[in-house]
């Protein structure tokens, strides 16, 4: 990692010190000089002898405040200097909400030299060109690019600057597009044409019709949808509940309310992204009272109309009204709402996780339902056994070097 650490304790053995210095490796992460100085301060408090702290640096940062070092002198050793360098400073790819296979690549390029530079910038997917552009940047200028593209599989996206400059390491950046995996949905419903049509419109969704007895196999699915199907309770899992409220959901049913007006909706929640609900009319809805730490996503003046719960192994969205007693399914927002909810309930598919990480940043991803352990193979061929947490997530921290994990 890139945390400050002691390689060798105080010693007069120059051979040991020389071996430690020779074993140092450059990392692809920013330095943490203030942390290193605090570590030196702590060790000097234990040393008890006059000392000198030597700092070797390229000086590409604001000089930090030097803590008291027990009277030790600080010697700064500057090496290298700023010269002709063009670099990719940010690179990320993400799915859009306009199509199942539509992506956008976000790219930022900077010219750190003191004069204008002209170079070729290319973007390729599995070495197949997507974009090529001749770019000119003035001195100390940064420019961003947004490049849309369509792809129905996985692959490696490569952005590259073609220039002869003083630092080749930042002329290339990689991003991973994992192969898409369908969301497996168990649908328990007496029949709902609106809901079935919205699910069929999403090519990433794989629907399996079921009955109440199918809840015994709920763990085999990414999300279970219970539509107008009363059940006493449900096992832990991820649920879209439509006009039904099982035990275990932290809401108390107080009755029903006629023609509840929508007074607001939570535009910041992922399930409500890009929705306009201002003209939706509802004939009647459940009247519920929250009993836990959930979140109202759509509100009336007397009750939450859509409510999100995430606690004790349960992740659920309650839609507190019958889809046949509202005009919501007739509006363009409805299929997007269904898609948003499914991806919030189960954002575990690797293609929905952020796989472009800064070097040293932990990789966090979810495992398929029912899987508790995974093996990660790094770029050096080393394997790492990872155990899922209670929410099915795994975490891996890299060694501080830029890598493309297969």
């Amino acid at each position: 990692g890139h945390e400050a650490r002691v390689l060798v304790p105080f010693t007069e053995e120059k051979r040991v010190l020389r071996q430690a210095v020779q074993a140092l490796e450059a990392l692809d992460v920013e330095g943490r000089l203030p942390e290193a100085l605090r570590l030196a301060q702590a060790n000097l408090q234990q040393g008890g002898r006059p000392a000198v702290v030597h700092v070797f640096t390229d000086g590409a940062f604001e000089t930090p405040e030097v803590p008291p070092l027990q009277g030790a002198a600080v010697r700064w050793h500057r090496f290298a200097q700023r010269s002709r360098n063009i670099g990719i400073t940010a690179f990320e790819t993400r799915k859009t909400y306009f199509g199942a296979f539509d992506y956008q690549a976000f790219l930022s390029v900077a010219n750190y030299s003191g004069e204008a530079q002209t170079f070729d910038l290319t973007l390729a997917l599995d070495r197949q060109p997507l974009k090529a552009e001749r770019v000119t940047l003035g001195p100390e200028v940064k420019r961003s690019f947004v490049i849309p593209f369509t792809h129905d599989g996985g692959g490696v996206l490569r952005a590259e600057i073609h220039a002869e400059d003083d630092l080749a390491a930042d002329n290339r950046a990689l991003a991973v597009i994992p192969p898409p995996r369908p969301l497996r949905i168990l649908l328990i419903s007496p029949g709902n044409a609106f809901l079935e049509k919205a699910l069929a419109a999403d090519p990433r969704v794989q629907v399996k019709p079921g009955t109440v007895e199918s809840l015994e196999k709920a763990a085999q699915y990414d999300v279970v949808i219970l539509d107008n199907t009363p059940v006493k309770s449900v096992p832990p899992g991820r649920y879209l509940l439509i006009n039904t409220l099982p035990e275990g959901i932290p809401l108390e049913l107080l009755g029903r309310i006629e023609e509840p007006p929508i007074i607001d909706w939570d535009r910041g929640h992922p399930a409500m992204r890009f929705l306009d609900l201002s003209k939706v009319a509802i004939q009647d809805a459940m009247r519920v009272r929250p009993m836990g730490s959930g979140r109202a996503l759509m509100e009336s003046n007397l009750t939450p109309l859509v409510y999100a719960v995430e606690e004790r192994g349960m992740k659920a969205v309650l839609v507190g009204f019958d889809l046949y007693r509202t005009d919501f399914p007739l509006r363009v927002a409805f299929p997007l709402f269904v898609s948003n909810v499914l991806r919030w309930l189960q954002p575990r598919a690797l293609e929905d996780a952020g796989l472009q990480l800064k070097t040293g940043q932990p990789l966090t991803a979810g495992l398929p339902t029912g899987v508790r352990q995974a093996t990660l193979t790094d770029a050096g061929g080393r394997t790492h056994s990872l155990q899922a947490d209670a929410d099915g997530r795994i975490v891996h921290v890299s060694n501080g070097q830029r890598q493309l994990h297969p």
Side-chain angles (χ1 to χ4, degrees):
H2 53 295
E3 297 82 8
R5 63 190 188 278
V6 176
L7 296 180
V8 178
F10 286 116
T11 179
E12 296 182 358
E13 293 287 337
K14 293 185 178 180
R15 178 184 57 83
V16 175
L17 296 171
R18 190 177 298 111
Q19 289 176 345
V21 171
Q22 292 173 345
L24 290 173
E25 293 182 341
L27 302 180
D28 299 314
V29 294
E30 63 184 14
R32 294 182 176 178
L33 185 55
E35 182 180 315
L37 291 172
R38 287 193 296 270
L39 182 62
Q41 178 189 32
N43 280 271
L44 287 171
Q45 290 174 349
Q46 303 173 10
R49 297 173 59 182
V52 177
V53 176
H54 295 268
V55 181
F56 296 85
T57 175
D58 61 3
F61 53 83
E62 296 294 330
T63 303
E65 181 179 349
V66 179
L69 295 173
Q70 308 300 312
V74 179
R75 304 273 174 85
W76 297 86
H77 303 271
R78 176 81 177 266
F79 61 89
Q81 61 183 355
R82 302 187 72 175
S83 186
R84 181 176 182 268
N85 182 45
I86 311 151
I88 297 173
T89 59
F91 185 45
E92 182 179 359
T93 182
R94 66 183 67 168
K95 289 187 63 62
T96 70
Y97 280 84
F98 309 113
F101 306 113
D102 291 341
Y103 294 83
Q104 286 181 328
F106 297 83
L107 181 67
S108 183
V109 180
N111 175 17
Y112 293 104
S113 68
E115 53 189 45
Q117 302 291 338
T118 300
F119 53 92
D120 291 319
L121 175 65
T122 61
L123 182 70
L125 178 59
D126 288 339
R127 302 192 181 278
Q128 297 298 315
L130 294 176
K131 176 81 172 180
E133 183 174 342
R134 189 75 169 167
V135 178
T136 298
L137 290 182
E140 305 292 337
V141 168
K142 180 182 293 186
R143 180 179 168 188
S144 298
F145 301 82
V146 179
I147 304 171
F149 64 96
T150 300
H151 186 57
D152 61 357
V156 177
L157 198 65
R158 177 196 295 257
E160 191 163 3
I161 290 172
H162 301 272
E164 296 293 333
D165 60 1
D166 295 332
L167 183 64
D170 59 2
N171 288 355
R172 186 186 69 169
L174 302 175
V176 175
I177 302 176
R181 183 180 68 83
L183 283 170
R184 296 164 299 182
I185 308 298
L186 175 62
L187 175 60
I188 302 175
S189 169
N192 190 318
F194 295 129
L195 181 58
E196 292 166 8
K197 186 175 181 179
L199 293 171
D202 192 334
R204 300 266 301 283
V205 167
Q206 195 175 78
V207 179
K208 173 74 172 178
T211 62
V212 174
E213 288 72 24
S214 305
L215 285 173
E216 298 177 357
K217 300 179 180 179
Q220 299 178 10
Y221 297 90
D222 295 316
V223 178
V224 176
I225 301 177
L226 278 171
D227 169 48
N228 271 306
T229 304
V231 294
K232 183 174 177 58
S233 62
V234 292
R238 293 164 297 278
Y239 295 89
L240 172 56
L241 306 170
I242 301 174
N243 203 37
T244 187
L245 183 59
E247 292 181 4
I249 305 298
L251 291 166
E252 181 183 6
L253 181 60
L254 303 177
R256 299 192 73 87
I257 182 173
E258 296 293 325
E259 298 183 351
I262 298 175
I263 60 172
D264 199 10
W265 62 93
D266 189 345
R267 296 163 179 82
H269 193 279
M272 310 302 284
R273 191 177 295 170
F274 308 125
L275 301 184
D276 181 2
L277 307 176
S278 57
K279 296 183 179 180
V280 172
I282 301 171
Q283 292 183 1
D284 80 301
M286 294 178 175
R287 184 176 181 182
V288 296
R289 180 170 62 192
M291 305 295 290
S293 57
R295 182 170 172 177
L297 305 185
M298 182 196 299
E299 294 184 88
S300 183
N301 52 351
L302 294 177
T303 183
L305 297 170
V306 177
Y307 196 79
V309 173
E310 188 174 9
E311 59 180 41
R312 298 192 301 273
M314 181 70 68
K315 191 172 185 181
V317 171
L318 169 73
V319 177
F321 48 88
D322 189 333
L323 295 180
Y324 280 108
R325 296 184 61 80
T326 174
D327 63 357
F328 187 24
L330 303 178
R331 301 188 178 276
V332 295
F334 181 68
L336 182 56
F337 168 75
V338 173
S339 178
N340 285 349
V341 167
L342 295 180
R343 281 158 177 77
W344 178 74
L345 287 172
Q346 175 64 345
R348 300 165 179 267
L350 285 177
E351 62 268 22
D352 290 327
L355 293 188
Q356 291 74 243
L357 304 172
K358 291 183 178 180
T359 307
Q361 180 181 351
L363 167 65
T364 302
L367 298 182
T369 304
V371 178
R372 305 303 304 166
Q373 191 172 13
T375 299
L376 181 142
T377 304
D378 64 25
R382 296 176 294 271
T383 59
H384 307 265
S385 181
L386 306 175
Q387 197 73 29
D389 62 16
D391 295 321
R393 291 190 296 261
I394 56 172
V395 179
H396 173 69
V397 181
S398 73
N399 61 3
Q401 295 177 326
R402 183 176 61 180
Q403 299 184 25
L404 176 64
H405 293 285

